[in-house]
Amino acid sequence: MKKIAILGSTGSIGTQTLDIVREQKDIEVVAVAAGSNIALLEKQIREFAPKLACVYDEEKAVELRIKTADLPVKIVSGMEGLLEVSVFPESEILVTAIVGMLGIRPTVAAIQAGKKIALANKETLVTAGHLIMPMAKEYGVPILPVDSEHSAIFQSLQGNEGNKISKILLTASGGPFRGRKREELEQIQVEDALKHPNWSMGRKITIDSSTLVNKGLEVMEAKWLFGVELEQIQVVVHPQSVIHSAVEYEDGAVIAQLGTPDMRLPIQYALYYPKRMPMSGERLDLFSLGSLTFEQPDTETFRGLALAYEAMKQGGNVPTIYNAANERAVALFLAGKIGYLKITEIIETCMEQIVHRENPSLEEILETETLVYEYIERFICK
Ligand code: NAD
Ligand code: MG
């Protein structure tokens, strides 16, 4: 039996991870964590029988403890609880499927405890990649990408050890507003931005996909995961989401991974790497697709992507400023407190206003996050 722990078991990636567990039958879920959805978490505990479960919200944890009193599961809460799940002695792999910088400390703890990381939580690498990647190397643990593009790149690298990458072609669907100009985005409502053309995902990443901030975060994620220069990463808009990304080698060969848009494949590949397991579901039918198309990204309209390259170029804590500003701005947009275009405006303002630091420690990254939140609270939410 393969033993895994999941941070964010009730979310989009978390529930699809459990779909794989249900189908494969040789994975045991030993620990899980979620934010506050205790109704679903209770169902998951009854079905998968983990030994440890964390609910971030303290009061909900008390409720869940009562509801699961008949079961041999320990219920914990808060950051302490997340850390306990991350380092749970029996687990071999930690699936990091929570949203945002909250994932940093649990990921660090898991690496130090020698757990393999199946990484969905891209915000952790974006903000702390300079600490996480060397740490994973030091502890000899692999960081296995779950993000579909990074999984595609990782799959395209297999069998090419020692061969230099000349370029990464990072594909993007372009989101629901592809082809629109800035003026047309002013009146965008939350419901419009939550309609992704090809993927069904959590709310935050769906908004990020519509602004292309998600692609910006993915460029930074790719740089850390694959150790390439920023200039080697080219974003290619490919509305059909069939080519999940590709690698170009020095001889001009381009190797890509294709498939239907289904996150279960990258999740399963990370869990079983280097083995490929059977999987149910639709298969790619090239005849019914007919054609695949490609476009340059419009970085004038979707400033979030250009700002991501800028943040990564500046380095230090600037990617953290970019990410933290986006996290807060998206939350404000989802709560109906700011307009759609304000999201990238806030990111840009924070990148200009918050003090830059080189080579930030973990504490300095978290400090930067607080500074960004305070700045937005004082000057933008006033
Ligand atoms: P989601 O919103 O659907 O799920 C988030 C999960 O995190 C939920 O289980 C929630 O309960 C949990 N959570 C929230 N706050 C928490 C807290 N304080 N403590 C513990 N758990 C908490 O999000 P998602 O779409 O599954 O995305 C998860 C991560 O994976 C993100 O970093 C996202 O960028 C990345 N990702 C997602 C997809 C996708 O298809 N959904 C694809 C690529 C990458
Ligand atoms: Mg992705």
Side-chain angles (χ1 to χ4, degrees):
M1 284 301 252
K2 199 181 270 298
K3 300 192 177 187
I4 68 167
I6 308 170
L7 298 181
S9 64
T10 58
S12 162
I13 295 289
T15 51
Q16 293 180 86
T17 304
L18 292 172
D19 287 342
I20 293 164
V21 173
R22 227 177 255 124
E23 189 165 322
Q24 292 299 345
K25 314 231 184 303
D26 65 346
I27 303 176
E28 185 182 340
V29 181
V30 290
V32 290
S36 56
N37 184 353
I38 54 169
L40 180 54
L41 195 57
E42 183 188 346
K43 274 196 197 143
Q44 294 180 342
I45 294 171
R46 293 195 182 274
E47 180 177 356
F48 296 97
K51 295 174 178 148
L52 180 68
C54 168
V55 189
Y56 198 80
D57 184 306
E58 173 72 40
E59 283 174 22
K60 299 265 172 154
V62 173
E63 255 181 75
L64 185 64
R65 216 167 274 138
I66 297 167
K67 285 177 191 287
T68 56
D70 58 320
L71 301 170
V73 60
K74 178 179 169 194
I75 309 288
V76 291
S77 67
M79 178 52 80
E80 285 308 304
L82 279 183
L83 293 172
E84 204 172 324
V85 168
S86 306
V87 303
F88 192 68
E90 278 179 44
S91 95
E92 301 154 41
I93 305 179
L94 177 70
V95 180
T96 64
I98 49 177
V99 187
M101 292 177 64
L102 186 72
I104 299 178
R105 288 182 57 204
T107 307
V108 166
I111 292 171
Q112 291 174 341
K115 312 293 182 195
K116 293 182 194 166
I117 309 291
L119 184 120
N121 176 235
K122 63 191 85 181
E123 296 91 343
T124 285
L125 271 195
V126 166
T127 54
H130 63 294
L131 303 174
I132 302 268
M133 294 311 290
M135 192 182 289
K137 202 168 174 195
E138 182 189 341
Y139 285 87
V141 300
I143 308 279
L144 302 154
V146 166
D147 212 343
S148 60
E149 296 78 0
H150 304 74
S151 174
I153 295 163
F154 186 57
Q155 293 177 58
S156 304
L157 289 170
Q158 300 307 311
N160 279 293
E161 291 72 18
N163 287 325
K164 264 214 231 139
I165 299 174
S166 38
K167 204 159 130 190
I168 283 179
L169 300 163
L170 188 75
T171 52
S173 72
F177 309 133
R178 181 177 58 89
R180 296 207 203 169
K181 292 291 164 209
R182 219 175 151 71
E183 318 78 74
E184 299 171 83
L185 297 180
E186 251 153 40
Q187 299 308 322
I188 292 297
Q189 301 298 307
V190 172
E191 314 81 79
D192 309 320
L194 282 176
K195 283 184 202 133
H196 194 279
N198 304 338
W199 301 95
S200 157
M201 310 177 285
R203 284 159 67 86
K204 192 250 177 192
I205 183 176
T206 304
I207 302 297
D208 289 353
S209 300
S210 79
T211 56
L212 290 203
V213 165
N214 181 53
K215 212 42 62 179
L217 296 173
E218 290 185 354
V219 167
M220 302 194 236
E221 185 186 9
K223 184 179 184 303
W224 289 120
L225 279 171
F226 307 112
V228 293
E229 296 301 321
L230 212 46
E231 299 69 37
Q232 289 175 284
I233 307 173
Q234 182 176 47
V235 173
V236 179
V237 175
H238 164 46
Q240 297 83 16
S241 297
V242 165
I243 299 182
H244 296 309
S245 281
V247 176
E248 183 190 294
Y249 291 94
E250 287 188 301
D251 58 0
V254 175
I255 303 196
Q257 185 251 328
L258 286 70
T260 55
D262 183 344
M263 282 309 294
R264 291 177 312 142
L265 172 67
I267 299 169
Q268 179 167 292
Y269 190 72
L271 293 179
Y272 285 93
Y273 173 78
K275 226 174 147 186
R276 286 190 185 273
M277 302 296 284
M279 179 178 259
S280 61
E282 266 183 63
R283 295 296 184 257
L284 193 60
D285 178 358
L286 292 175
F287 295 119
S288 71
L289 271 170
S291 62
L292 299 177
T293 59
F294 307 95
E295 299 164 15
Q296 291 272 3
D298 172 2
T299 50
E300 291 271 315
T301 306
F302 300 97
R303 292 269 304 136
L305 181 56
L307 288 170
Y309 273 93
E310 188 54 39
M312 196 67 177
K313 218 173 283 163
Q314 294 184 21
N317 69 341
V318 187
T320 298
I321 299 174
Y322 174 97
N323 179 72
N326 178 61
E327 284 190 25
R328 184 43 59 96
V330 169
L332 289 170
F333 172 68
L334 284 170
K337 295 198 172 138
I338 59 167
Y340 184 71
L341 288 177
K342 198 85 183 158
I343 299 173
T344 30
E345 268 174 51
I346 290 178
I347 299 175
E348 190 158 21
T349 308
C350 288
M351 282 170 62
E352 285 161 9
Q353 298 298 325
I354 307 294
V355 60
H356 292 191
R357 281 172 189 274
E358 274 175 37
N359 199 21
S361 63
L362 194 55
E363 290 66 35
E364 286 168 333
I365 290 169
L366 299 174
E367 231 171 74
T368 299
E369 182 190 31
T370 308
L371 283 178
V372 168
Y373 282 12
E374 283 172 2
Y375 181 84
I376 294 176
E377 189 63 36
R378 275 176 53 205
F379 296 102
I380 299 173
C381 297
K382 64 178 183 302

